[in-house]
């Protein structure tokens, strides 16, 4: 087992070496420049109005669920254990400087996420025989945009086979948090998690999105308030914490207490990797989650790319990072990692009530991520079996397979789980960036159409025709 773990970590380190970091940051910067920084800071007022300002709007145009419901399904993947356990792992492995590179990856990733959403809306299909749903994933884009049918089916098989195993990270975090907070037997935690997740995914997209609309915003707000409380307790040290993050991003961090020290390369590697896992910018999940959205133009839905990354990385991840740094638990608690470290930070600030709060928060975040991830994996099943009766049957069987890793892989070491997750994420990134670069002409056409024609006409009250896709016939 130790040899397997070491091999996984070595492969993960190789994939997330300097080339991957340069490619991701370079792509984000390139797209940001091409978009004239509309998805970074230039049009933030517009994006805020079209995301958080329209959370309860039904939405115009064609689609299965509202834009907000689709975004909540996407944020179920992003606002989760990655914000809690992933940030903690980044600090333990890369030092406080890793937080800075998480911010950079998020800032530039806003443009990458916008591209994913546009691709999902542009190349989505409508299933009406086996299910009533608009959908898209990487395989649909590979076939409908690039014409690679064989590659698309192989990609679909890889996604629905390997995807569920990334949920082991979520389960490990729940088990650790419930043990830390309540001393609960791992088997009880896993059993409850498995049963409740299965009951939710059994209801399909509409049940999933309805649940996510209610749980994700509420839990995110509670967690942010809890973290802000720690900042208030340590208010005098907040400027020092920010300075430590900035300083450590460009200079090696010395070993102190239980912290082994970190190089600038470590800060870069873990900051970018954990930032990516947290906000999903570049992994292609935006293609999947937003394809079902009801919107009047694909580029309007892309505003949620800004909203998701801002809330996820700039707000929630920062709350976790500052909580850990201000309480100094990454130094005083050697050997504690992942979600347990964040739980220790909250317990340090609030006593036993902090540990209880974190145990519940982590469990709910992990629960929503597992459910949200299921939807992503299900789209690969839908692609593989097409709009046929076989698709309906395959989905029901797949639900059982999907839950297997969640209930049997909860006691593997956190570093091995994160290594497996990083490896799969690296593959997803390579595929997604291929789509973005090969389809950038179509992406830019839609972007220009929205900002230069559609939006101006809409704001003049001219009611321009809705720009919508999804009637592509499945080509056998």
């Amino acid at each position: 087992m130790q040899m397997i773990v070491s091999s996984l970590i070595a492969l993960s380190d190789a994939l997330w070496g300097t080339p991957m970091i340069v490619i991701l940051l370079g792509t984000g910067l390139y797209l940001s420049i091409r978009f004239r920084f509309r998805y970074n800071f230039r049009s933030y007022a517009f994006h805020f109005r079209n995301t958080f300002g329209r959370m309860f709007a039904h939405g115009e145009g064609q689609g299965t669920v509202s834009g907000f419901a689709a975004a909540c399904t996407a944020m179920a993947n992003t606002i989760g254990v990655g914000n809690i356990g992933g940030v903690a792992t980044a600090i333990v492995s890369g030092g406080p400087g890793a937080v800075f590179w998480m911010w950079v990856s998020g800032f530039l990733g806003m443009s990458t996420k916008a591209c994913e959403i546009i691709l999902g809306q542009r190349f989505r299909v409508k299933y009406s025989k086996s299910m009533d749903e608009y959908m898209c994933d990487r395989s649909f884009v590979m076939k409908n945009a690039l014409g690679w049918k064989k590659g698309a089916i192989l990609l679909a098989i890889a996604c629905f086979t390997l995807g569920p195993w990334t949920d082991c990270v979520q389960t490990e975090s729940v088990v650790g948090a419930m043990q830390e907070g309540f001393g609960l037997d791992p088997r009880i935690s896993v059993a409850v998690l498995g049963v409740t997740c299965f009951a939710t995914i059994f209801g399909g997209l509409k049940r999933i999105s309805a649940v996510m609309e209610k749980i994700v915003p509420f839990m995110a707000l509670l967690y942010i308030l809890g973290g802000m409380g720690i900042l208030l307790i340590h208010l005098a040290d907040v400027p020092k914490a920010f300075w430590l993050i900035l300083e450590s991003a460009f200079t090696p961090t010395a070993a102190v207490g239980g912290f082994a020290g970190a190089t600038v390369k470590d800060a870069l590697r873990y900051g970018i990797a954990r930032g990516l896992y947290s906000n999903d910018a570049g992994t292609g999940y935006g293609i999947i989650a937003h394809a079902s959205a009801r919107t009047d133009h694909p580029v309007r839905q892309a505003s949620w790319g800004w909203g998701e990354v801002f809330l996820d990385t700039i707000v929630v991840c920062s709350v976790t990072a500052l909580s850990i740094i201000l309480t100094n638990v990454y130094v005083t608690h050697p050997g504690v990692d992942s979600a347990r470290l964040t739980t220790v930070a909250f317990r340090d600030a609030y006593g036993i009530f902090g540990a209880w709060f974190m145990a519940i928060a982590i469990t709910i975040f992990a629960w929503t991520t597992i459910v949200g991830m299921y939807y992503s994996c299900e789209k690969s099943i839908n692609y593989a079996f097409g709009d046929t009766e076989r698709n309906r049957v395959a989905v029901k069987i797949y639900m059982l397979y999907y839950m297997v890793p969640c209930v049997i892989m909860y006691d593997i070491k956190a570093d091995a789980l994160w290594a497996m997750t990083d490896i799969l994420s690296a593959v997803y990134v390579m595929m997604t960036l291929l789509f973005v670069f090969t389809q950038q002409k179509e992406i830019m056409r839609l972007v220009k159409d929205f900002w230069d024609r559609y939006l101006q006409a809409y704001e003049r009250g001219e009611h321009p025709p809705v720009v919508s896709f999804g009637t592509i016939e499945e080509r056998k």
Side-chain angles (χ1 to χ4, degrees), residues 1-10:
M1 177 58 71
Q2 185 57 47
M3 184 179 296
I4 293 174
V5 171
S6 299
S7 299
L8 287 171
I9 293 174

Side-chain angles (χ1 to χ4, degrees), residues 22-37:
V22 171
I23 290 170
L24 272 174
L25 293 182
T27 298
L29 179 60
Y30 168 75
L31 293 172
S32 296
I33 293 171
R34 289 216 65 184
F35 290 146
R36 300 178 183 176
F37 295 97

Side-chain angles (χ1 to χ4, degrees), residues 80-162:
V81 172
N83 302 87
I84 300 172
V87 173
T89 302
I91 293 173
V92 168
S93 303
V99 180
F100 174 82
W101 295 111
M102 289 183 74
W103 292 337
V104 172
S105 73
F107 178 78
L108 297 178
M110 291 174 177
S111 297
T112 310
K113 178 65 75 74
C115 288
E116 294 180 38
I117 295 172
I118 294 170
L119 286 173
Q121 283 277 323
R122 172 63 182 85
F123 295 104
R124 67 182 185 174
V125 301
K126 174 69 162 60
Y127 274 17
S128 56
K129 298 176 184 176
S130 59
M131 56 204 304
D132 182 21
E133 186 177 326
Y134 285 85
M135 68 183 71
C136 191
D137 79 341
R138 304 173 190 89
S139 294
F140 285 106
V141 176
M142 183 173 283
K143 184 188 75 171
N144 294 329
L146 303 181
W148 298 354
K149 295 182 180 180
K150 292 182 179 179
I153 191 66
L154 290 175
L155 180 60
I157 293 171
C159 288
F160 71 65
T161 302
L162 300 176

Side-chain angles (χ1 to χ4, degrees), residues 55 57 65-74 205 208-210 212-213 289 292 304:
M55 291 193 298
V65 297
S66 70
F68 176 59
C72 285
T73 303
L205 170 62
I208 291 172
S209 60
M212 295 303 108
E213 275 186 293
S292 62
W304 280 106

Side-chain angles (χ1 to χ4, degrees), residues 82-382:
N83 302 87
I84 300 172
V87 173
T89 302
I91 293 173
V92 168
S93 303
V99 180
F100 174 82
W101 295 111
M102 289 183 74
W103 292 337
V104 172
S105 73
F107 178 78
L108 297 178
M110 291 174 177
S111 297
T112 310
K113 178 65 75 74
C115 288
E116 294 180 38
I117 295 172
I118 294 170
L119 286 173
Q121 283 277 323
R122 172 63 182 85
F123 295 104
R124 67 182 185 174
V125 301
K126 174 69 162 60
Y127 274 17
S128 56
K129 298 176 184 176
S130 59
M131 56 204 304
D132 182 21
E133 186 177 326
Y134 285 85
M135 68 183 71
C136 191
D137 79 341
R138 304 173 190 89
S139 294
F140 285 106
V141 176
M142 183 173 283
K143 184 188 75 171
N144 294 329
L146 303 181
W148 298 354
K149 295 182 180 180
K150 292 182 179 179
I153 191 66
L154 290 175
L155 180 60
I157 293 171
C159 288
F160 71 65
T161 302
L162 300 176
W165 297 89
T166 62
D167 287 335
C168 298
V169 171
Q170 314 300 325
T171 308
E172 183 272 336
S173 295
V174 170
V175 168
M178 295 305 283
Q179 280 184 313
E180 193 74 37
F182 298 103
L184 196 64
D185 187 321
R187 291 170 294 184
I188 296 176
S189 300
V190 169
V192 173
L193 187 68
V195 170
T196 53
C197 284
F198 183 81
T200 304
I201 65 178
F202 195 78
L205 170 62
K206 292 185 178 179
R207 180 184 295 176
I208 291 172
S209 60
V211 172
M212 295 303 108
E213 275 186 293
K214 296 176 176 64
I215 293 180
V216 172
F218 177 72
M219 197 60 235
L221 178 61
L222 280 184
Y223 180 72
I224 291 168
L225 292 175
M228 292 299 292
I230 296 180
L231 268 65
L232 291 175
I233 293 172
H234 298 273
L235 190 58
D237 294 323
V238 170
K240 296 178 185 177
F242 275 104
W243 176 251
L244 179 63
I245 290 170
L246 293 173
E247 184 181 39
S248 302
F250 300 99
T251 58
T253 307
V256 56
F259 177 63
T263 65
V264 173
K265 184 178 180 180
D266 290 331
L268 263 166
R269 180 254 191 270
Y270 288 101
I272 299 297
R274 295 294 170 265
L276 171 69
Y277 180 76
S278 176
N279 60 49
D280 281 341
T283 62
Y285 287 119
I287 293 174
I288 305 164
H290 290 271
S292 62
R294 190 183 304 111
T295 184
D296 59 352
H297 197 290
V299 179
R300 188 185 296 279
Q301 186 64 22
S303 285
W304 280 106
W306 173 88
E308 285 176 34
V309 178
F310 176 81
L311 182 61
D312 175 273
T313 306
I314 307 303
V315 179
V316 181
C317 284
S318 297
V319 165
T320 300
L322 290 170
S323 298
I324 291 171
I325 293 170
L326 288 169
T327 55
N328 207 38
V329 291
Y330 73 103
V331 172
T332 59
H333 289 72
V336 180
D337 197 355
S338 196
R340 284 193 176 190
L341 185 63
T342 311
T343 302
V344 171
F346 272 69
R347 186 175 61 192
D348 181 87
Y350 299 117
I352 190 63
F353 294 104
W356 292 346
F357 172 81
M358 280 305 303
I360 295 170
I362 289 168
T363 299
I364 294 176
F365 279 148
W367 185 89
T368 57
T369 301
I370 291 170
V371 172
M373 184 68 72
Y374 166 77
Y375 175 73
S376 299
C377 293
E378 184 193 270
K379 297 309 103 185
S380 295
I381 288 286
N382 298 151

